[in-house]
Amino acid sequence: MTDLSRRAALRLAAAGSLAGLATPALAQDWTPPGPVRLINPFAPGGSPDILARAMAPHMQGFLGQPMVVENRPGAGAAVGTRSVARAAADGTTVLLAPISSVIAPFMMREPGYELGEFKALTWLATTPFVLVVRSGRWADVGEFDRHLKANPGRLSGATGGSGTPHQLAAELYRGASGGDFTLVGYRGTAPALTDLRAGVVDFMFADMPAALGQIRQGGLQALAVCTPSRVPALPDVPTMAETVAPGFEANSWVMWWVPAATPDPVARRLSAAALHGLAQPDVRTRAAEVGFLLHGTDMAGAEAHKRSETEKWGTLIRARGLRFEEG
């Protein structure tokens, strides 16, 4: 058994002993013993940050304690994620878990955590991905797809860096299309989109909150979205699935995770706080403005989504032999 596995087992055992002390009233009446830290494993301004900061004022009123968004970026989200795995399981530390938290254990030699060390509270939202190119380059996604296949190795795609969902979306498309292209990793989405507009690279599977403004301004052209159905923010843009890649789906998401040893009644109270925040009109308006698709699942739905995404991306990463590259 690895050190991580031992730690996970000890924490799960502790959860059992703590849960035995909990009463049904705790799920409704529990108040955090101090401020709740929402750990975002990315820098400020990204998708999890936008949603968390909109929700925080409503959640702190619900729980009776301040909600503090704390950014802990680094190593493809592994730095912030493992900090929550090592935190006290007392309900005062929550991970704003992005898809990258699932990706890292498959791509990194020593991510510093295992996925079994977390309990999923709710699946808050999907961040739709959109295939974007420089405006006017291709008429539609079909023309782009045909050009890529007719010119193997000639096109380049941008990603936000190694181990990012942009990279995995492009690899998923590589398998679906049978096309050949080069991927260029950047230090984040913003510089990647800048080079895309300048013609340095040819395409990108970008998260919609980052790209939507430039799409609306005309600097970028949205060829297709990567959701199963069209999205309200771009109603005239077709899906990859309905055009060039049947069954294609590649998006990011935001979930709430806590250490696995967190007692279930405490976890349920935190989940209820998240759902309360997500239901507020100003939060829903802000989410629609930047292109989020809101879910707000219960804990069972969140665990099911965590498992399915782990299987999907773990399978792809192993099949491609992908590894996290520093720098």
Side-chain angles (χ1 to χ4, degrees):
M1 181 181 288
T2 66
D3 289 341
L4 283 171
S5 296
R6 291 190 190 96
R7 187 166 69 244
L10 288 171
R11 285 179 175 164
L12 286 171
S17 62
L18 288 170
L21 298 176
T23 66
L26 182 58
Q28 181 178 354
D29 300 335
W30 176 79
T31 297
V36 177
R37 296 183 306 143
L38 305 177
I39 305 300
N40 175 8
F42 289 116
S47 299
D49 215 57
I50 291 170
L51 195 58
R53 293 182 189 277
M55 293 169 60
H58 303 290
M59 295 185 296
Q60 66 186 22
F62 185 89
L63 289 173
Q65 285 283 9
M67 308 287 290
V68 181
V69 180
E70 181 178 318
N71 299 90
R72 300 199 65 180
V79 170
T81 302
R82 65 177 168 245
S83 75
V84 176
R86 296 168 181 171
D90 61 359
T92 62
T93 307
V94 177
L95 177 68
L96 295 166
I99 189 174
S100 297
S101 295
V102 162
I103 294 170
F106 294 100
M107 292 190 67
M108 299 180 69
R109 182 170 298 166
E110 296 182 2
Y113 66 91
E114 294 179 356
L115 294 175
E117 293 184 87
F118 296 97
K119 179 180 293 183
L121 302 184
T122 183
W123 172 19
L124 292 174
T126 288
T127 307
F129 267 38
V130 56
L131 173 59
V132 288
V133 297
R134 191 173 77 249
S135 291
R137 183 80 184 274
W138 289 283
D140 54 35
V141 68
E143 183 179 327
F144 165 80
D145 188 71
R146 290 190 294 273
H147 183 89
L148 182 141
K149 291 174 181 175
N151 295 273
R154 298 285 297 277
L155 297 189
S156 59
T159 78
S162 179
T164 60
H166 319 105
Q167 178 189 10
L168 295 196
E171 290 292 349
L172 193 67
Y173 173 61
R174 189 194 302 274
S177 68
D180 181 31
F181 49 81
T182 301
L183 287 179
V184 181
Y186 288 81
R187 291 182 178 272
T189 303
L193 292 176
T194 297
D195 270 10
L196 178 60
R197 288 187 63 172
V200 177
V201 288
D202 300 299
F203 69 93
M204 182 177 184
F205 286 93
D207 46 300
M208 192 173 292
L212 194 56
Q214 296 183 57
I215 293 169
R216 289 171 172 165
Q217 293 165 9
L220 295 176
Q221 179 181 355
L223 295 183
V225 294
C226 303
T227 45
S229 56
R230 299 191 184 197
V231 300
L234 295 172
D236 297 325
V237 177
T239 68
M240 292 287 290
E242 72 184 274
T243 51
V244 298
F248 187 95
E249 182 178 355
N251 306 288
S252 190
W253 38 257
V254 185
M255 299 180 73
W256 263 30
W257 294 357
V258 290
T262 304
D264 281 344
V266 173
R268 286 194 294 270
R269 182 67 171 160
L270 289 170
S271 180
L275 298 183
H276 172 78
L278 201 64
Q280 304 309 308
D282 63 308
V283 174
R284 302 185 78 83
T285 297
R286 179 64 176 137
E289 288 173 351
V290 298
F292 283 113
L293 300 178
L294 301 183
H295 301 291
T297 66
D298 60 13
M299 289 176 62
E303 284 290 352
H305 184 66
K306 178 171 170 258
R307 286 194 303 271
S308 66
E309 288 290 279
T310 298
E311 175 62 25
K312 176 178 180 175
W313 298 116
T315 298
L316 177 71
I317 291 165
R318 286 189 293 263
R320 294 281 191 277
L322 303 177
R323 293 292 180 267
F324 182 81
E325 297 177 6
E326 295 279 1

